[in-house]
Amino acid sequence: DRESEEEARMMKTLVACLLFALCITPALASFNPFILHFVDYYKRPSGHYNYIVRGSLPLGGIFHWLKFDWNYIKDTLIQRASEKRIPFPEHDYQMIDVCLLQPEKPENLELIKIEKKYFEHDRPDHGRFVLWPTRGSSHSPTEYTSEQIQVMVQNFTDVSRDDLPGRMAAFDAMLHDDTTNHSQVIYFHCESGKNRTGEKAGSYYMKF
């Protein structure tokens, strides 16, 4: 009857829309080239360069077909270095993938697993994976007076749960490491490359 035909038509339309979304909608957790920026770089005595780079989640693909997007990131690094006139090797480099995601959150576990698997199993020649769970501060800046904030800034007081002084010392050690046979890209990121990544970048600028 007419009602059944209408229901069947609506069901076909719904299925078509779902298939369309699966085919063209990128995963929310995907690499954003506009977020990638060089924070610092250092020419080593050996002639190689090391770089600290901030960015977003380094994965690309659709939903559960996510994978580490090495080539897209490489192209973006080359482009951004050219724009900033920063010397950058197009091939002879490795990456230290510093992931700031929190493993206690179920939605992060698969993302962390993909990154870790890429460096530990798929392409260990491309570098290594480091997990630095970042949770931010449990205190609001409004809880402090401007005088207190000034003293905290001058003394680099850490009110977060992320051991920022220790992380900044680790960044500095990575940047000045001259023990590898390749240039090193220290790529740190959360998911969107803004909040947790911004905390680390801002701390680095304040310290160095």
Side-chain angles (χ1 to χ4, degrees):
D1 59 7
R2 183 176 299 176
E3 186 174 345
S4 297
E5 290 178 356
E6 184 63 25
E7 289 178 355
R9 189 180 300 111
M10 290 178 62
M11 183 60 67
K12 289 180 180 178
T13 302
L14 178 60
V15 171
C17 289
L18 288 173
L19 289 173
F20 181 76
L22 285 170
C23 290
I24 70 166
T25 305
L28 293 177
S30 61
F31 175 66
N32 182 348
F34 300 104
I35 299 296
L36 187 148
H37 297 286
F38 282 83
V39 173
D40 202 356
Y41 68 99
Y42 168 72
K43 185 176 181 180
R44 296 154 44 177
S46 62
H48 294 295
Y49 283 83
N50 289 346
Y51 310 84
I52 297 179
V53 179
R54 63 175 293 178
S56 63
L57 196 73
L59 306 181
I62 307 287
F63 295 99
H64 58 278
W65 290 288
L66 283 172
K67 63 178 182 178
F68 196 92
D69 212 342
W70 177 270
N71 289 329
Y72 196 6
I73 296 169
K74 180 186 74 172
D75 292 343
T76 306
L77 284 167
I78 294 170
Q79 178 183 344
R80 199 71 74 243
S82 176
E83 292 169 354
K84 298 297 182 181
R85 298 186 177 181
I86 295 173
F88 188 81
E90 295 189 8
H91 303 289
D92 186 25
Y93 72 90
Q94 292 180 327
M95 181 181 292
I96 303 175
D97 175 23
V98 181
C99 176
L100 308 180
L101 298 182
Q102 299 160 257
E104 63 269 22
K105 292 187 176 182
E107 64 270 24
N108 289 339
L109 286 176
E110 186 61 27
L111 303 177
I112 293 171
K113 187 187 300 183
I114 294 170
E115 290 186 57
K116 187 176 181 180
K117 178 178 177 293
Y118 181 81
F119 287 101
E120 294 186 359
H121 298 283
D122 300 340
R123 294 302 303 264
D125 57 308
H126 277 182
R128 61 189 175 96
F129 174 79
V130 177
L131 182 61
W132 284 358
T134 300
R135 300 172 178 86
S137 174
S138 58
H139 301 279
S140 169
T142 58
E143 296 179 21
Y144 305 97
T145 66
S146 58
E147 290 79 12
Q148 289 175 318
I149 292 176
Q150 187 65 31
V151 172
M152 290 162 66
V153 169
Q154 290 174 348
N155 295 311
F156 202 62
T157 304
D158 185 18
V159 295
S160 76
R161 296 166 286 179
D162 303 324
D163 184 25
L164 290 175
R167 296 306 193 202
M168 296 308 104
F171 267 151
D172 189 56
M174 291 178 186
L175 181 66
H176 294 92
D177 180 20
D178 194 29
T179 62
T180 64
N181 296 323
H182 306 273
S183 293
Q184 300 286 311
V185 174
I186 303 131
Y187 182 84
F188 68 100
H189 68 88
C190 52
E191 188 168 343
S192 66
K194 297 176 182 178
N195 297 324
R196 287 163 288 182
T197 303
E199 176 192 88
K200 290 290 189 293
S203 299
Y204 185 87
Y205 287 133
M206 290 169 62
K207 181 66 176 178
F208 301 107

